[in-house]
Amino acid sequence: MTQFTTGFHGYARAEVDAFVEKANAAIASGEPERVAQARAEAQAVSFKVAFRGYDQPEVDHYLRRIAKGRPDDRP
């Protein structure tokens, strides 16, 4: 599972974790329709902001990587 920095306020962790798990599975499947759907969803997804949430810029960067089909390319 991808690890993001947790801050005072940030994206709701459970929402991000569920989305990332689903998107990574779709991309790993190699099925063109699932990959295309995951990439499109990464461009449109939004998350609630919560106390002790994930760092927003870090998650946003990861979402851009998913949208390009390269989720494992995180710095």
Side-chain angles (χ1 to χ4, degrees), residues 13-60:
R13 295 182 304 179
E15 289 181 13
V16 173
D17 289 341
F19 178 82
V20 168
E21 184 177 341
K22 179 182 170 187
N24 284 340
I27 291 170
S29 77
E31 297 173 27
E33 290 178 15
R34 287 185 68 197
V35 171
Q37 182 177 1
R39 293 175 68 183
E41 288 175 356
Q43 294 176 6
V45 70
S46 61
F47 304 108
K48 293 177 187 171
V49 175
F51 177 69
R52 299 287 299 152
Y54 287 140
D55 181 75
Q56 292 171 329
E58 200 174 310
V59 173
D60 291 341

Side-chain angles (χ1 to χ4, degrees), residues 19 42 45 47 58-68:
F19 178 82
V45 70
F47 304 108
E58 200 174 310
V59 173
D60 291 341
H61 176 74
Y62 191 69
L63 292 173
R64 286 190 296 274
R65 293 309 222 175
I66 290 174
K68 292 178 183 178

